[in-house]
């Protein structure tokens, strides 16, 4: 049985961690897997399959720089002695983690870095910061670079053309049976309203990225035109209180807070509404498709390729874009294709096998 290793920061709640636990569950019986964590903690830790070995590798954070460097040098040497090139494949699944990068590059000659986000937008278009980020994780030392979005892959190649032949696009797996099952659980706090369209936004409340103010302002405008509907926000974050202030007096906006299980709320709503300026690849796209919910999204990630004309509409990244998207749905709704969850996962599993052990034939 082939030996593979994944390194990550923790197994706490988040998009990367959700994708990782789904991946591990799907390949647990096919490979001898080791998981290396910087923090051996998190809500998903108990879900890691029992036959997967978990190792903790945590760099020192000692305040005195020289001592910290000495401790980390010793830790690196010990890790190399134990694990250098002991695996057939290794991957850093937490793009941003320098220690995760070190672990994956050390564990095998067949290493990969997973890229889950649009880091150029994360750095607000600062190309030098973008380049510096990937140089710090030693991108040139990985054999493969795996992007969950074609858009992010193309952006990377624009600035790292010498790494082009290493770049592969592969979506994250989705636990569709779990999503369908959990969507049938009670939606606590959800008030059923007949003949009223319910838009829903699910995600972190962080204005620089999510731009939920666009939804709030678009709702105000549609209310003034006499449209009857409501908007639900499921999630929280650093800008939650500011959003609530912006929405004061708007009776058809409801803040439901963060939910460990958001699927019942998505299942009971009519349409997913996204207003972001940038995303890696929004897992909520696939979750909505699985639950048969049409999507209105700004032009982020691979939305034009995966959503437009199939599962919803793509609008410009502005308040006007969100406003016209909501208005179009309220005026005439839109049909969506049937999503084949099994076919989606099967294609990804085949691609993963190739990433793990074929590599150079991929583009």
């Amino acid at each position: 049985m082939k030996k593979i290793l994944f390194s990550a920061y923790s197994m706490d709640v988040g998009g990367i961690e959700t994708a990782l636990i789904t991946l591990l569950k799907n390949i647990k019986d096919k490979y001898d897997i080791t998981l290396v964590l910087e923090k051996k903690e998190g809500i998903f830790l108990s879900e890691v399959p029992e036959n997967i070995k978990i190792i903790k590798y945590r760099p020192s954070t000692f305040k005195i720089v020289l001592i910290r460097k000495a401790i980390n040098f010793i830790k690196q040497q010990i890790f190399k002695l134990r694990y250098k090139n002991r695996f057939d494949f290794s991957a850093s699944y937490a793009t941003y983690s320098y220690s995760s990068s070190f672990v994956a590059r050390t564990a095998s000659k067949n290493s990969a870095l997973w890229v889950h986000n649009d880091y150029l937008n994360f750095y607000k278009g600062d190309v030098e910061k973008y380049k510096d980020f990937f140089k710090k994780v030693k991108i040139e030392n990985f054999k493969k670079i795996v992007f969950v979005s074609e858009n992010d892959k193309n952006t990377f190649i624009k600035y790292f053309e010498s790494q082009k032949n290493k770049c592969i696009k592969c979506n994250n797996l989705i636990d569709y049976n779990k999503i369908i099952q959990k969507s049938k659980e009670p939606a606590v706090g959800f008030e059923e309203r007949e003949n009223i369209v319910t838009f829903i936004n699910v995600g972190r409340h962080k204005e620089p990225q999510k731009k939920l103010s666009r939804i709030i302002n678009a709702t105000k405008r549609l209310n003034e035109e006499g449209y009857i509907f409501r908007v639900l926000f499921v999630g929280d974050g650093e800008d939650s209180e500011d959003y609530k202030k912006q929405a004061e007096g708007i009776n058809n906006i409801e803040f439901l807070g963060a939910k460990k299980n958001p699927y019942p709320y998505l299942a009971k709503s009519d349409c997913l509404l996204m207003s972001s300026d940038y995303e890696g690849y929004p897992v909520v796209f696939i979750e909505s498709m699985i639950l048969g919910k049409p999507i209105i999204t700004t032009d982020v990630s691979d939305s034009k390729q995966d959503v437009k004309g199939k599962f919803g509409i793509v609008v410009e990244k502005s308040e006007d874009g969100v406003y016209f998207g909501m208005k179009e749905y309220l005026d005439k709704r839109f049909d969506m294709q049937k999503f084949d969850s099994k076919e989606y996962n099967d294609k990804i599993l085949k691609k993963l096998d190739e990433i793990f052990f074929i590599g150079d034939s991929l583009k």
Side-chain angles (χ1 to χ4, degrees):
M1 188 177 281
K2 295 280 190 180
K3 294 178 67 176
I4 66 176
L5 175 148
F6 289 94
S7 56
Y9 183 72
S10 75
M11 293 307 293
D12 210 351
V13 65
I16 291 175
E17 294 77 14
T18 301
L20 178 55
I21 195 67
T22 304
L23 169 58
L24 294 174
K25 287 177 178 179
N26 272 273
I27 64 172
K28 64 182 176 65
D29 298 321
K30 197 169 185 178
Y31 304 108
D32 180 355
I33 304 171
T34 297
L35 175 64
V36 180
L37 298 174
E38 194 168 326
K39 287 188 174 182
K40 196 174 177 181
E41 61 185 39
I43 194 169
F44 292 123
L45 191 61
S46 62
E47 292 190 34
V48 176
E50 291 182 0
N51 63 335
I52 292 178
K53 183 180 179 181
I54 303 176
I55 298 170
K56 183 179 177 181
Y57 178 83
R58 183 163 175 77
S60 170
T61 56
F62 201 85
K63 289 183 180 180
I64 300 173
V65 177
L66 286 175
I67 295 176
R68 182 173 71 242
K69 285 186 175 181
I71 293 171
N72 285 335
F73 176 78
I74 293 168
K75 285 190 172 191
Q76 287 182 345
Q77 298 313 306
I78 292 171
F79 187 86
K80 286 178 180 179
L81 283 170
R82 289 179 178 174
Y83 301 110
K84 187 172 183 179
N85 297 333
R86 298 290 178 88
F87 294 84
D88 299 294
F89 172 82
S90 54
S92 172
Y93 212 74
T95 322
Y96 54 82
S97 171
Y98 300 144
S99 65
S100 180
S101 168
F102 162 75
V103 165
R105 288 183 286 104
T106 301
S108 81
K109 294 179 180 179
N110 182 24
S111 61
L113 177 72
W114 248 258
V115 181
H116 297 271
N117 207 346
D118 179 351
Y119 282 98
L120 185 60
N121 267 307
F122 178 81
Y123 288 113
K124 299 178 180 177
D126 190 320
V127 173
E128 292 309 310
K129 286 184 178 179
Y130 177 78
K131 288 181 176 179
D132 189 53
F133 168 77
F134 281 107
K135 287 174 183 176
K136 282 182 176 177
V137 296
K138 300 191 182 298
I139 195 71
E140 72 280 358
N141 293 337
F142 284 96
K143 188 174 180 182
K144 300 153 193 166
I145 310 162
V146 183
F147 296 83
V148 299
S149 157
E150 189 71 31
N151 179 68
D152 296 346
K153 173 188 163 187
N154 292 338
T155 299
F156 178 85
I157 290 170
K158 181 179 178 181
Y159 298 107
F160 290 92
E161 193 172 352
S162 64
Q163 305 295 310
K164 180 178 180 179
N165 290 335
K166 296 180 180 180
C167 296
I168 306 158
K169 186 256 180 158
C170 182
N171 285 120
N172 287 324
L173 289 162
I174 198 84
D175 190 343
Y176 56 90
N177 286 321
K178 180 180 177 181
I179 289 169
I180 293 168
Q181 182 182 356
K182 291 182 78 67
S183 73
K184 297 172 183 177
E185 293 179 5
V188 178
F190 185 98
E191 184 183 342
E192 302 274 3
R193 295 186 188 177
E194 288 186 20
N195 304 319
I196 294 180
V197 168
T198 299
F199 294 105
I200 187 169
N201 176 274
V202 182
R204 204 168 288 153
H205 291 183
K206 191 175 183 180
E207 180 64 10
Q209 178 184 2
K210 302 299 184 178
K211 298 291 183 185
L212 301 187
S213 59
R214 292 170 176 166
I215 297 175
I216 295 169
N217 292 330
T219 299
K220 287 180 185 176
R221 291 166 63 179
L222 290 165
N223 286 346
E224 290 168 0
E225 295 176 25
Y227 284 94
I228 305 298
F229 64 98
R230 66 172 172 167
V231 176
L232 304 182
F233 288 107
V234 173
D236 61 14
E238 59 199 59
D239 292 319
S240 290
E241 292 307 312
D242 187 49
Y243 288 142
K244 288 175 184 177
K245 287 178 183 176
Q246 290 180 41
E248 282 180 2
I250 308 176
N251 296 326
N252 58 335
I253 290 180
E254 300 174 36
F255 293 90
L256 301 182
K259 301 293 181 185
K260 186 178 179 181
N261 176 16
Y263 304 122
Y265 303 88
L266 183 55
K268 288 179 178 294
S269 298
D270 296 295
C271 181
L272 177 73
L273 185 56
M274 287 188 62
S275 54
S276 302
D277 247 7
Y278 64 93
E279 295 281 348
Y281 190 95
V283 176
V284 75
F285 278 177
I286 308 300
E287 293 167 343
S288 296
M289 294 172 192
I290 289 167
L291 296 176
K293 301 301 171 180
I295 301 164
I296 299 170
T297 178
T298 43
D299 184 7
V300 293
S301 188
D302 296 349
S303 57
K304 283 185 175 175
Q305 176 183 325
D306 293 353
V307 175
K308 186 178 180 181
K310 304 173 189 175
F311 302 102
I313 60 170
V314 178
V315 300
E316 69 175 33
K317 289 187 261 190
S318 68
E319 179 189 313
D320 278 349
V322 174
Y323 161 79
F324 285 116
M326 294 172 71
K327 186 180 175 74
E328 181 177 340
Y329 184 81
L330 289 166
D331 283 340
K332 56 186 181 182
R333 313 291 192 267
F334 20 83
D335 295 327
M336 61 180 287
Q337 296 178 7
K338 183 174 175 56
F339 182 71
D340 190 329
S341 303
K342 186 178 184 304
E343 181 184 15
Y344 172 86
N345 267 5
D346 286 346
K347 285 180 179 178
I348 295 170
L349 286 167
K350 183 179 179 182
K351 190 70 170 280
L352 286 169
D353 284 339
E354 294 172 348
I355 290 169
F356 294 164
F357 299 117
I358 299 177
D360 291 339
S361 66
L362 294 167
K363 292 291 180 286

